[in-house]
Amino acid sequence: CYNGSDADFCVARLNPDGTLDASFDGPGGSGDGKFLLPIGTGYDYANAVAVQPDGKIVLAGFCSNGSGYDFCVARLNPDGTLDTSFDGPGGSGNGRFLLPIGTSDDYATAVAVQPDGKIVLAGNCSNGSNQDFCVARLNADGTLDASFDGPSGSGDGKFLLPVGTGDDYATTVTVQPDGKIVLAGFCHSGSNQDFCVARLNPDGTLDTSFD
């Protein structure tokens, strides 16, 4: 949403009849059901939301880092205040932070919460010449899950995943009951864009049985 000079994350919660939930007050304590939430240094765009079993709300998208865009994520308590236990890789996020993945612009478009509380983020990230699928997995406190190493075995919680011959865009993610992660979107086939999909094992390696 527009804040008067650029854009911020924004969120609203409605009661079952569509009226604003006045108990959802946000970090400022006066939201009355809707509020803006700045994350980066300029334009911030929320693209996905997930509600955890404990009622906490995870927002994901892409935010300005001053020169480009990074993945960014925030977690709210059920009343809309920032969850300060969600500190991120730097340990100082206090509920919201940026997460660079590729070599320049990174765009998170999807989020899923695993049964164990880990958070999977997916989108498209720059590899230096075009865009690839990219994915990150966070522990419940927002730190990177170093066990999620990807196909190369050295991802340490975040990695790029080329699928097609050019620009690849992941637009959705889901976690199966067995912990495998499915990414879907559209990818360049050499002449146009096609549906594309990948399935990862719980450690981020490619599931070679998904043929």
Side-chain angles (χ1 to χ4, degrees), residues 1 24 29 36 62 67 76 78 95 99 111 115 123 125 139 144 147 151 167-168 211:
C1 299
F24 191 60
L36 275 66
F62 58 96
S67 59
L76 306 176
L99 184 67
V111 62
C125 299
N139 295 308
L144 284 162
S147 71
D167 288 317
D168 304 326
D211 260 346

Side-chain angles (χ1 to χ4, degrees), residues 167-180:
D167 288 317
D168 304 326
Y169 300 92
T171 58
T172 190
V173 63
T174 192
V175 181
Q176 297 183 173
D178 61 2
K180 292 182 179 181

Side-chain angles (χ1 to χ4, degrees), residues 123-134:
N124 54 282
C125 299
S126 174
N127 62 21
S129 59
N130 54 37
Q131 296 281 316
D132 287 332
F133 274 26
C134 53

Side-chain angles (χ1 to χ4, degrees), residues 14-31:
L14 306 178
N15 293 309
D17 64 357
T19 55
L20 285 163
D21 176 6
S23 71
F24 191 60
D25 259 343
S30 57

